[in-house]
Amino acid sequence: MFNKISLSDEAIIESIRSGNQKMLVLLYKRNYPIIRGHILKNSGFEADVEDVLQETLVALWQKLSDKNFTLTAKLDTFIFAIAKNHWLTNLHKKRFTVLHDGSIEIKDTISVGVNEEMLSKLAVYMKQLSEVCRNILHFYYFDDLSMEDIAQRMNFANADTVKTKKYQCKKKLEEMVKQHHSLQDFL
Amino acid sequence: MSKANQHNEELIEQYLAGKMTAEARLQFEEMVANDEALQKELEFQRLVVGAMQESRREELINFIKDNIDEDKAMPIYKGRIIWSLSAAACIALLIFFLSEPGTFQEEYQHTKKKILSYNPFIKGEKTEADSVEETTTTKSNSGALADRKEESVSDSILMDGRHINEQITAADGEPDSTLLSYTTTVGGALDKSGKLAEEKPLERKKAESFDGYDGDISQTLTDSENVLSEKMVMDTQVFAIVIPTQVDEMGNNFQQNNEYYSNQKKQTTRSIPGTVDNNTYRGNENDRNRGMAGDTKTKNSPQKDTQKQKSDDANKSDKDKITSLSIKVEFWESPIHFKGYKFFRNKLLLYGVKESEFMKVYSYENNYYLKTAKGVYLLREENIFNSFAPVKNSILLERTK
């Protein structure tokens, strides 16, 4: 359904900054072939393509959230550059050997840090929060929106209301985490 | 919560968000180093904030996955399907077009015949006297391709008042020395006056030879060739002008080139070096040389040889100045409006170039170049189709002026 949309880079960036997640799907489809080609050419497999592209688009989303960020290249070029870096980082994490026939055998992947694993565990508690709480925390801590922007996007009366709500939501999360874990678990 | 704790939380938040100044950051880190409780709180907050960010990251990825899953393979496979279907449709049309001898094909053949018959390089006026009408082969709508291949008729069409010259092979296989022009109409198609013609025999109008024609009448255009070369508009013979690479004081290199190409030229027919052979339609002769002419019966007569010799002699004076190499040039129509060329084994196929645009072929440093009114283009000698690559070499541009 998104294939028929033909938008300029500026329009896509504007749309992403206004919180339109559908743009990620559009960019995913648009950039899939070229990034797939790059990864397959560089010791990657089909399964890697999706992961890298998803991570790339999330990074793009976060990058574009910064209103001071100005894109100097074409959006697709920028996406390709991010994807290339992601794939390079992934390759460094992987331990592989080149076989006689030139193919690559991946022995194993270096385990992700304890911190990353813990973050995934803790992220589960976010699902137990209300949608409003979750959105406020997401918008504030990931999308880097100001209280005013969050108020506007979520139809709150003003920034102060959002600030209060955010404080309450964060406390709820902290309580949940403290209930199930001690700080020693994470250190 | 005490005010101190609230203040610390704000500091932690700013620190984790990277919104502190360098100075404030150093100050805060020093504070953390000296306060164990603050250190623990910082680590805890780091995890909580990290969890919130991880949650958002997962949410976005899941959104992409959910929406991509609707038609996950679309960007690749949808394209492939479309291309596959397009290719299949093209092949089906091509098969239909080549095999079905119906009205559509007749119309197409008629249109092609008009194009094939158009020769813009005719010089001089040609009279329509001696309108000797000969009934030759009847063409009908239902005629199969096989029937057409049997015909060995050199025909041309009078289009828009322009006379098209073709040599006609006489019944005994010997070429007629006089030039003939004749009209032809194909049943079911429009004739020259724009009226829908019924099935009519070909009409030939014998015309006098004109002064500009200087011999070597050795080719005919047959219907079988029309079929074989459906998209070829016309072909001709040119001689590449050799631009000497380096001319020393004695002109040695130039002389060597001259000798080499002079020898080559003896094997070819008359023409003004470096220019398009304006007077002859050379398709059949060249096709015959390649074994593609089918059942063409034309042979060179002694009279032609004499004319050819005269022509060679006339050009000898030019040899000293300009060297040349014979190249067969074919003008082709591309159904996809492709503009480009294929240059292989002294044969140049031009696509999207009008005959009137064509000017000269140059040879320089073992490369060939095509010069048209629009510019000079490198001709890569490969058995593939290439686009025109403009030449920027100032020396070459200067020498091809």
Side-chain angles (χ1 to χ4, degrees):
Chain A
M1 57 176 164
F2 304 114
N3 275 6
K4 292 175 183 173
I5 300 171
S6 176
L7 296 170
S8 67
D9 285 356
E10 290 74 21
I12 291 171
I13 292 168
E14 195 58 41
S15 188
I16 285 176
R17 281 180 173 159
S18 69
N20 186 359
Q21 296 180 178
K22 288 176 182 176
M23 288 299 115
L24 294 181
V25 181
L26 175 89
L27 291 174
Y28 183 100
K29 292 187 175 186
R30 208 165 80 174
N31 289 278
Y32 188 94
I34 190 163
I35 289 172
R36 176 179 176 272
H38 175 76
I39 290 173
L40 294 187
K41 260 189 226 170
N42 291 280
S43 321
F45 301 96
E46 287 285 353
D48 297 320
V49 181
E50 283 183 27
D51 292 343
V52 169
L53 193 47
Q54 285 159 8
E55 292 294 338
T56 300
L57 292 174
V58 170
L60 177 80
W61 179 274
Q62 205 169 13
K63 195 80 186 165
L64 292 178
S65 299
D66 181 2
K67 288 180 180 172
N68 295 322
F69 174 75
T70 313
L71 193 66
T72 51
K74 278 182 76 178
L75 186 58
D76 288 346
T77 311
F78 185 60
I79 290 170
F80 184 67
I82 300 175
K84 261 173 79 174
N85 283 338
H86 263 290
W87 179 236
L88 206 61
T89 313
N90 279 9
L91 277 180
H92 284 310
K93 283 182 187 171
K94 289 181 177 178
R95 288 176 183 160
F96 56 85
T97 49
V98 180
L99 302 176
H100 293 298
D101 61 352
S103 61
I104 286 171
E105 183 188 39
I106 293 178
K107 298 274 188 192
D108 65 334
T109 303
I110 298 169
S111 59
V112 292
V114 178
N115 208 27
E116 284 178 55
E117 216 169 291
M118 256 324 136
L119 290 180
S120 294
K121 277 184 187 175
L122 293 179
V124 176
Y125 298 117
M126 284 289 285
K127 288 176 186 167
Q128 294 173 24
L129 295 175
S130 68
E131 193 179 345
V132 174
C133 271
R134 212 164 48 235
N135 283 341
I136 291 174
L137 296 177
H138 282 165
F139 292 157
Y140 186 79
Y141 288 101
F142 188 89
D143 292 15
D144 205 22
L145 297 184
S146 66
M147 294 297 179
E148 288 77 15
D149 288 338
I150 296 172
Q152 199 180 352
R153 192 178 288 188
M154 296 184 70
N155 293 323
F156 280 104
N158 51 49
D160 287 340
T161 317
V162 178
K163 197 174 180 181
T164 310
K165 192 76 184 163
K166 184 218 113 189
Y167 180 78
Q168 290 168 351
C169 294
K170 193 181 169 211
K171 283 295 155 198
K172 271 187 195 173
L173 179 67
E174 285 175 11
E175 279 168 23
M176 275 192 279
V177 173
K178 280 178 182 172
Q179 267 180 12
H180 296 90
H181 303 278
S182 70
L183 189 58
Q184 293 303 319
D185 294 343
F186 311 125
L187 296 176
Chain B
M1 185 188 286
S2 68
K3 279 193 175 180
N5 279 348
Q6 201 173 347
H7 178 66
N8 281 348
E9 269 190 29
E10 282 174 9
L11 284 177
I12 290 170
E13 208 156 88
Q14 284 179 13
Y15 179 77
L16 291 175
K19 288 178 181 173
M20 275 184 171
T21 61
E23 197 182 340
R25 194 177 178 84
L26 276 173
Q27 235 175 5
F28 179 74
E29 282 171 355
E30 206 174 309
M31 208 163 81
V32 170
N34 298 323
D35 189 339
E36 198 178 337
L38 186 60
Q39 195 178 345
K40 282 183 179 176
E41 186 60 24
L42 174 65
E43 287 310 313
F44 180 71
Q45 288 297 327
R46 196 195 298 274
L47 283 171
V48 171
V49 170
M52 289 186 282
Q53 291 176 336
E54 178 65 17
S55 166
R56 176 61 163 159
R57 203 184 66 83
E58 285 175 4
E59 191 185 79
L60 289 172
I61 286 177
N62 286 335
F63 180 84
I64 295 171
K65 279 182 182 172
D66 290 347
N67 286 283
I68 290 295
D69 282 344
E70 286 177 9
D71 47 3
K72 195 173 181 177
M74 213 170 162
I76 311 163
Y77 300 109
K78 187 185 178 186
R80 285 183 186 167
I81 289 166
I82 288 169
W83 278 107
S84 303
L85 288 174
S86 305
C90 287
I91 291 167
L93 273 171
L94 193 65
I95 291 168
F96 167 78
F97 183 70
L98 289 174
S99 60
E100 181 62 40
T103 311
F104 173 67
Q105 190 183 352
E106 285 291 344
E107 285 286 348
Y108 181 81
Q109 286 299 327
H110 178 69
T111 311
K112 279 291 168 192
K113 194 174 288 296
K114 279 188 171 183
I115 296 165
L116 278 161
S117 304
Y118 170 60
N119 185 346
F121 299 118
I122 292 168
K123 282 180 180 175
E125 287 295 322
K126 185 164 59 94
T127 65
E128 292 184 25
D130 299 332
S131 56
V132 178
E133 295 196 1
E134 301 172 32
T135 303
T136 56
T137 312
T138 303
K139 298 180 181 181
S140 69
N141 269 336
S142 56
L145 292 181
D147 296 334
R148 292 173 156 271
K149 287 178 182 176
E150 291 299 315
E151 299 170 8
S152 177
V153 178
S154 170
D155 56 6
S156 61
I157 300 170
L158 290 172
M159 288 174 60
D160 304 326
R162 266 189 288 235
H163 296 284
I164 310 299
N165 300 333
E166 291 298 338
Q167 182 221 345
I168 295 182
T169 307
D172 59 359
E174 287 294 317
D176 196 336
S177 59
T178 52
L179 209 65
L180 296 173
S181 73
Y182 55 94
T183 60
T184 181
T185 55
V186 179
L190 296 177
D191 63 11
K192 63 174 180 177
S193 60
K195 293 175 184 174
L196 186 67
E198 296 300 323
E199 283 192 8
K200 286 181 182 176
L202 291 175
E203 290 178 304
R204 292 182 179 181
K205 289 179 182 177
K206 197 169 184 178
E208 291 174 349
S209 58
F210 59 94
D211 295 334
Y213 191 79
D214 57 357
D216 195 17
I217 310 168
S218 59
Q219 63 279 330
T220 59
L221 176 65
T222 65
D223 277 354
S224 61
E225 283 167 316
N226 285 359
V227 175
L228 283 170
S229 54
E230 282 183 338
K231 290 183 179 60
M232 191 177 79
V233 180
M234 66 163 292
D235 67 346
T236 185
Q237 196 88 7
V238 301
F239 293 93
I241 299 173
V242 179
I243 300 172
T245 309
Q246 283 181 334
V247 183
D248 59 21
E249 288 178 359
M250 302 299 291
N252 286 335
N253 200 351
F254 185 82
Q255 290 301 328
Q256 283 166 13
N257 282 339
N258 241 352
E259 284 172 19
Y260 172 74
Y261 289 113
S262 297
N263 289 336
Q264 292 289 314
K265 196 179 169 187
K266 280 176 188 173
Q267 296 168 16
T268 63
T269 55
R270 84 289 172 282
S271 176
I272 299 168
T275 58
V276 176
D277 185 349
N278 284 345
N279 297 328
T280 55
Y281 187 98
R282 312 195 65 79
N284 287 3
E285 185 184 52
N286 291 303
D287 284 351
R288 190 167 59 250
N289 291 339
R290 296 199 312 273
M292 289 175 63
D295 50 1
T296 305
K297 294 172 184 175
T298 310
K299 291 175 184 174
N300 282 332
S301 67
Q303 187 183 353
K304 303 287 164 5
D305 291 339
T306 312
Q307 287 176 335
K308 184 179 166 184
Q309 188 59 45
K310 282 180 184 174
S311 175
D312 282 346
D313 293 341
N315 290 326
K316 273 181 182 174
S317 58
D318 294 328
K319 284 182 190 174
D320 297 334
K321 296 175 185 174
I322 310 167
T323 56
S324 59
L325 182 64
S326 170
I327 292 172
K328 183 186 178 188
V329 183
E330 291 180 1
F331 295 88
W332 286 67
E333 277 193 333
S334 167
I336 56 168
H337 304 294
F338 167 73
K339 274 196 171 188
Y341 68 96
K342 186 170 92 169
F343 182 46
F344 191 60
R345 290 179 182 168
N346 288 357
K347 186 176 170 186
L348 176 62
L349 272 65
L350 293 173
Y351 281 79
V353 177
K354 289 179 183 174
E355 310 88 280
S356 54
E357 286 179 29
F358 179 73
M359 288 179 75
K360 289 175 183 176
V361 175
Y362 287 89
S363 171
Y364 179 64
E365 290 184 341
N366 296 326
N367 286 324
Y368 287 88
Y369 299 90
L370 171 73
K371 185 182 179 184
T372 70
K374 291 176 182 172
V376 182
Y377 305 99
L378 172 67
L379 298 173
R380 294 180 191 281
E381 210 161 351
E382 298 170 328
N383 196 15
I384 54 169
F385 292 100
N386 285 311
S387 302
F388 290 115
V391 172
K392 292 174 184 174
N393 185 336
S394 56
I395 299 169
L396 187 67
L397 291 174
E398 182 64 31
R399 293 192 182 185
T400 52
K401 269 184 184 175

Short mmCIF file of all heavy atoms in Angstrom, two decimals, chain B residues 72-97:
data_model
loop_
_atom_site.label_atom_id
_atom_site.label_comp_id
_atom_site.label_asym_id
_atom_site.label_seq_id
_atom_site.Cartn_x
_atom_site.Cartn_y
_atom_site.Cartn_z
N LYS B 72 5.55 -8.80 2.29
CA LYS B 72 6.96 -8.75 2.63
C LYS B 72 7.90 -8.69 1.42
O LYS B 72 8.79 -7.86 1.36
CB LYS B 72 7.28 -10.01 3.44
CG LYS B 72 8.60 -9.96 4.16
CD LYS B 72 8.67 -11.18 5.04
CE LYS B 72 9.97 -11.19 5.82
NZ LYS B 72 10.03 -12.32 6.72
N ALA B 73 7.63 -9.56 0.49
CA ALA B 73 8.57 -9.69 -0.63
C ALA B 73 8.26 -8.74 -1.77
O ALA B 73 8.82 -8.84 -2.83
CB ALA B 73 8.57 -11.11 -1.13
N MET B 74 7.35 -7.86 -1.51
CA MET B 74 6.86 -7.01 -2.60
C MET B 74 7.93 -6.26 -3.38
O MET B 74 7.94 -6.28 -4.61
CB MET B 74 5.86 -6.01 -2.05
CG MET B 74 4.78 -5.67 -3.03
SD MET B 74 3.54 -4.75 -2.19
CE MET B 74 2.71 -4.04 -3.56
N PRO B 75 8.86 -5.62 -2.66
CA PRO B 75 9.80 -4.81 -3.43
C PRO B 75 10.64 -5.60 -4.41
O PRO B 75 11.04 -5.08 -5.43
CB PRO B 75 10.69 -4.18 -2.35
CG PRO B 75 10.34 -4.81 -1.08
CD PRO B 75 9.09 -5.58 -1.24
N ILE B 76 10.88 -6.86 -4.11
CA ILE B 76 11.69 -7.65 -5.02
C ILE B 76 10.80 -8.44 -5.96
O ILE B 76 10.87 -8.30 -7.16
CB ILE B 76 12.57 -8.64 -4.25
CG1 ILE B 76 13.30 -7.93 -3.14
CG2 ILE B 76 13.54 -9.34 -5.18
CD1 ILE B 76 13.83 -8.86 -2.12
N TYR B 77 9.96 -9.24 -5.35
CA TYR B 77 9.26 -10.21 -6.16
C TYR B 77 8.14 -9.59 -6.98
O TYR B 77 7.82 -10.07 -8.05
CB TYR B 77 8.73 -11.34 -5.27
CG TYR B 77 9.85 -12.02 -4.56
CD1 TYR B 77 10.02 -11.85 -3.19
CD2 TYR B 77 10.79 -12.76 -5.25
CE1 TYR B 77 11.08 -12.43 -2.53
CE2 TYR B 77 11.86 -13.35 -4.60
CZ TYR B 77 12.00 -13.20 -3.24
OH TYR B 77 13.05 -13.76 -2.60
N LYS B 78 7.57 -8.51 -6.47
CA LYS B 78 6.52 -7.87 -7.26
C LYS B 78 7.14 -7.35 -8.57
O LYS B 78 6.58 -7.53 -9.64
CB LYS B 78 5.92 -6.70 -6.48
CG LYS B 78 4.73 -6.09 -7.18
CD LYS B 78 4.25 -4.88 -6.43
CE LYS B 78 3.10 -4.23 -7.15
NZ LYS B 78 2.71 -2.97 -6.53
N GLY B 79 8.31 -6.77 -8.40
CA GLY B 79 9.01 -6.29 -9.58
C GLY B 79 9.32 -7.42 -10.55
O GLY B 79 9.13 -7.30 -11.74
N ARG B 80 9.78 -8.52 -9.97
CA ARG B 80 10.12 -9.66 -10.82
C ARG B 80 8.90 -10.17 -11.55
O ARG B 80 8.96 -10.52 -12.73
CB ARG B 80 10.71 -10.79 -9.97
CG ARG B 80 12.13 -10.50 -9.55
CD ARG B 80 12.67 -11.67 -8.78
NE ARG B 80 13.98 -11.34 -8.25
CZ ARG B 80 14.59 -12.07 -7.33
NH1 ARG B 80 14.01 -13.14 -6.84
NH2 ARG B 80 15.77 -11.73 -6.89
N ILE B 81 7.77 -10.22 -10.82
CA ILE B 81 6.56 -10.73 -11.45
C ILE B 81 6.15 -9.83 -12.60
O ILE B 81 5.83 -10.28 -13.69
CB ILE B 81 5.42 -10.84 -10.40
CG1 ILE B 81 5.73 -11.99 -9.44
CG2 ILE B 81 4.07 -11.05 -11.08
CD1 ILE B 81 4.89 -11.99 -8.19
N ILE B 82 6.22 -8.52 -12.33
CA ILE B 82 5.84 -7.57 -13.38
C ILE B 82 6.73 -7.74 -14.60
O ILE B 82 6.27 -7.81 -15.73
CB ILE B 82 5.93 -6.12 -12.84
CG1 ILE B 82 4.78 -5.89 -11.85
CG2 ILE B 82 5.84 -5.11 -13.98
CD1 ILE B 82 4.88 -4.63 -11.06
N TRP B 83 8.04 -7.86 -14.34
CA TRP B 83 8.97 -8.03 -15.46
C TRP B 83 8.72 -9.33 -16.18
O TRP B 83 8.79 -9.39 -17.40
CB TRP B 83 10.41 -7.95 -14.96
CG TRP B 83 10.86 -6.54 -14.82
CD1 TRP B 83 11.07 -5.86 -13.66
CD2 TRP B 83 11.12 -5.60 -15.86
NE1 TRP B 83 11.45 -4.57 -13.92
CE2 TRP B 83 11.49 -4.38 -15.27
CE3 TRP B 83 11.08 -5.69 -17.27
CZ2 TRP B 83 11.82 -3.27 -15.99
CZ3 TRP B 83 11.40 -4.57 -17.99
CH2 TRP B 83 11.77 -3.37 -17.35
N SER B 84 8.46 -10.37 -15.40
CA SER B 84 8.22 -11.67 -16.02
C SER B 84 6.99 -11.60 -16.91
O SER B 84 6.99 -12.09 -18.04
CB SER B 84 8.01 -12.74 -14.95
OG SER B 84 9.11 -12.77 -14.10
N LEU B 85 5.93 -10.98 -16.36
CA LEU B 85 4.69 -10.88 -17.14
C LEU B 85 4.92 -10.03 -18.39
O LEU B 85 4.44 -10.35 -19.47
CB LEU B 85 3.58 -10.27 -16.28
CG LEU B 85 3.02 -11.19 -15.19
CD1 LEU B 85 2.03 -10.43 -14.31
CD2 LEU B 85 2.34 -12.40 -15.81
N SER B 86 5.67 -8.93 -18.22
CA SER B 86 5.95 -8.07 -19.36
C SER B 86 6.71 -8.82 -20.44
O SER B 86 6.40 -8.72 -21.62
CB SER B 86 6.78 -6.86 -18.93
OG SER B 86 6.12 -6.20 -17.89
N ALA B 87 7.72 -9.58 -19.98
CA ALA B 87 8.52 -10.33 -20.93
C ALA B 87 7.67 -11.36 -21.65
O ALA B 87 7.76 -11.53 -22.88
CB ALA B 87 9.67 -11.02 -20.20
N ALA B 88 6.80 -12.04 -20.88
CA ALA B 88 5.94 -13.06 -21.48
C ALA B 88 5.01 -12.42 -22.51
O ALA B 88 4.80 -12.96 -23.60
CB ALA B 88 5.13 -13.75 -20.38
N ALA B 89 4.47 -11.25 -22.16
CA ALA B 89 3.56 -10.56 -23.07
C ALA B 89 4.28 -10.16 -24.36
O ALA B 89 3.75 -10.30 -25.46
CB ALA B 89 2.97 -9.33 -22.38
N CYS B 90 5.51 -9.68 -24.19
CA CYS B 90 6.30 -9.27 -25.36
C CYS B 90 6.57 -10.46 -26.27
O CYS B 90 6.44 -10.36 -27.49
CB CYS B 90 7.63 -8.66 -24.91
SG CYS B 90 7.41 -7.03 -24.21
N ILE B 91 6.96 -11.59 -25.65
CA ILE B 91 7.27 -12.78 -26.43
C ILE B 91 6.01 -13.24 -27.17
O ILE B 91 6.05 -13.57 -28.35
CB ILE B 91 7.83 -13.90 -25.52
CG1 ILE B 91 9.22 -13.48 -25.04
CG2 ILE B 91 7.89 -15.23 -26.25
CD1 ILE B 91 9.75 -14.30 -23.91
N ALA B 92 4.88 -13.23 -26.44
CA ALA B 92 3.63 -13.66 -27.06
C ALA B 92 3.28 -12.78 -28.25
O ALA B 92 2.89 -13.25 -29.32
CB ALA B 92 2.50 -13.63 -26.03
N LEU B 93 3.44 -11.47 -28.06
CA LEU B 93 3.16 -10.53 -29.15
C LEU B 93 4.08 -10.76 -30.34
O LEU B 93 3.66 -10.73 -31.49
CB LEU B 93 3.33 -9.09 -28.66
CG LEU B 93 2.11 -8.46 -28.02
CD1 LEU B 93 2.48 -7.13 -27.39
CD2 LEU B 93 1.02 -8.26 -29.07
N LEU B 94 5.36 -11.01 -30.01
CA LEU B 94 6.34 -11.22 -31.06
C LEU B 94 6.00 -12.47 -31.87
O LEU B 94 6.05 -12.46 -33.11
CB LEU B 94 7.73 -11.37 -30.42
CG LEU B 94 8.92 -11.29 -31.38
CD1 LEU B 94 8.99 -9.90 -32.01
CD2 LEU B 94 10.20 -11.62 -30.66
N ILE B 95 5.64 -13.54 -31.15
CA ILE B 95 5.30 -14.79 -31.84
C ILE B 95 4.08 -14.56 -32.73
O ILE B 95 4.04 -14.94 -33.89
CB ILE B 95 5.03 -15.91 -30.80
CG1 ILE B 95 6.34 -16.29 -30.12
CG2 ILE B 95 4.38 -17.12 -31.46
CD1 ILE B 95 6.17 -17.16 -28.91
N PHE B 96 3.09 -13.85 -32.15
CA PHE B 96 1.88 -13.58 -32.93
C PHE B 96 2.22 -12.76 -34.16
O PHE B 96 1.80 -13.03 -35.28
CB PHE B 96 0.88 -12.82 -32.04
CG PHE B 96 -0.26 -12.22 -32.81
CD1 PHE B 96 -1.31 -13.01 -33.23
CD2 PHE B 96 -0.27 -10.87 -33.14
CE1 PHE B 96 -2.36 -12.46 -33.95
CE2 PHE B 96 -1.31 -10.31 -33.86
CZ PHE B 96 -2.35 -11.12 -34.26
N PHE B 97 3.06 -11.77 -33.93
CA PHE B 97 3.40 -10.84 -34.99
C PHE B 97 4.16 -11.53 -36.13
O PHE B 97 3.95 -11.25 -37.29
CB PHE B 97 4.26 -9.74 -34.37
CG PHE B 97 4.63 -8.66 -35.33
CD1 PHE B 97 3.66 -7.79 -35.80
CD2 PHE B 97 5.92 -8.51 -35.77
CE1 PHE B 97 3.99 -6.79 -36.68
CE2 PHE B 97 6.25 -7.52 -36.66
CZ PHE B 97 5.28 -6.66 -37.11
#
